[in-house]
Amino acid sequence: MLVKNWMSKEVITVDADDTMQNAIYTLQEQNIKMLPVMDDVKLVGIITDRDLKKASPSDATTLDMHELLFLISKIKVRDLMKKPVHTVRSNHTIEEATALLLEKKISGVPVLDENNRLVGIITRSDIFRMFISLRGLGEKGIQFAVRIKDMPGIIKEIRELIHEYGGRTTSILSSSDNAPDGYLNFYFRIYQIDRQKLPSLLDKIREKGTLLYMVDHRENKRTIYES
């Protein structure tokens, strides 16, 4: 999963010589939280709504409205922006982008191509959107988790079982977290399964491993088998 497939490609930017007032207006008008700062075609910084709020005069100030507007009309974006800018490449993976957001405790980063041109922005919202899309939550399918001994062919066997019962597997994730040595936790999302056949399918899956939980998003049913 590459950043270029999930980033927002229509990037709203602000010029380094624009005023603080214009930056505030742009964020509010576009309902966004950050603006890449450009000097001609070069990315030189980033400014967020938090930066602008910190720079805004306090409510306790003795300045009147005209004085406040005059003040923020004179402050330049380049005086407030953060630099250097944390960025990712368009061919980086979503996992790499997510790790950077977590490490730096930021909500998004600009995306550059191989020529250092700004081509997009990737935010936590984009990553959440990707996760929901890949997991197919909106399609109201069934998700179940099963702990299985790590051995060749076992996933193929479970997929064949699902197919035999008329189901369709749309995603499979695996993790060794919280699993004993030699075992993996697998997370399946399936569709088109007859709910009357589901208990029988789950019994068959239990023969392959330990069923951890099952969530039926269509029927809003949740069953925890193992903690």
Side-chain angles (χ1 to χ4, degrees), residues 14 18-28 32-35 46-57 72 75-77 79-82:
V14 66
D18 274 348
T19 64
M20 174 182 172
Q21 185 179 27
N22 184 62
I24 293 172
Y25 173 80
T26 302
L27 287 174
Q28 293 176 343
I32 54 179
K33 300 293 185 182
M34 66 177 62
L35 289 167
I46 196 159
I47 193 162
T48 68
D49 59 341
R50 182 177 297 180
D51 299 325
L52 294 169
K53 287 175 183 176
K54 285 182 179 179
S56 297
I72 65 174
I75 300 174
K76 301 295 185 183
V77 168
D79 299 322
L80 302 173
M81 69 185 187
K82 292 178 180 176

Side-chain angles (χ1 to χ4, degrees), residues 39-73:
D39 187 350
D40 194 13
V41 296
K42 182 180 179 182
L43 177 69
V44 293
I46 196 159
I47 193 162
T48 68
D49 59 341
R50 182 177 297 180
D51 299 325
L52 294 169
K53 287 175 183 176
K54 285 182 179 179
S56 297
S58 166
D59 290 339
T61 181
T62 58
L63 298 176
D64 64 25
M65 182 59 66
H66 294 292
E67 290 172 318
L68 288 175
L69 291 175
F70 178 79
L71 177 61
I72 65 174
S73 71

Side-chain angles (χ1 to χ4, degrees), residues 165-193:
Y165 277 79
R168 178 172 63 92
T169 306
T170 58
S171 68
I172 306 171
L173 297 176
S174 66
S175 173
S176 60
D177 292 344
N178 301 315
D181 289 344
Y183 287 79
L184 290 172
N185 293 334
F186 289 92
Y187 304 88
F188 289 80
R189 182 166 290 280
I190 65 174
Y191 298 92
Q192 299 176 355
I193 187 78

Side-chain angles (χ1 to χ4, degrees), residues 54-129:
K54 285 182 179 179
S56 297
S58 166
D59 290 339
T61 181
T62 58
L63 298 176
D64 64 25
M65 182 59 66
H66 294 292
E67 290 172 318
L68 288 175
L69 291 175
F70 178 79
L71 177 61
I72 65 174
S73 71
K74 293 301 180 183
I75 300 174
K76 301 295 185 183
V77 168
R78 68 168 67 252
D79 299 322
L80 302 173
M81 69 185 187
K82 292 178 180 176
K83 56 180 183 179
V85 192
H86 299 299
T87 63
V88 294
R89 299 287 181 178
S90 57
N91 60 359
H92 281 185
T93 65
I94 287 292
E95 290 81 2
E96 289 174 302
T98 304
L100 179 62
L101 297 187
L102 289 172
E103 178 189 351
K104 303 300 180 181
K105 297 180 180 179
I106 52 180
S107 60
V109 289
V111 182
L112 304 179
D113 66 9
E114 63 275 8
N115 297 312
N116 290 326
R117 294 176 301 190
L118 180 67
V119 293
I121 191 165
I122 187 84
T123 67
R124 291 179 182 176
S125 295
D126 296 318
I127 293 170
F128 294 155
R129 176 171 55 85

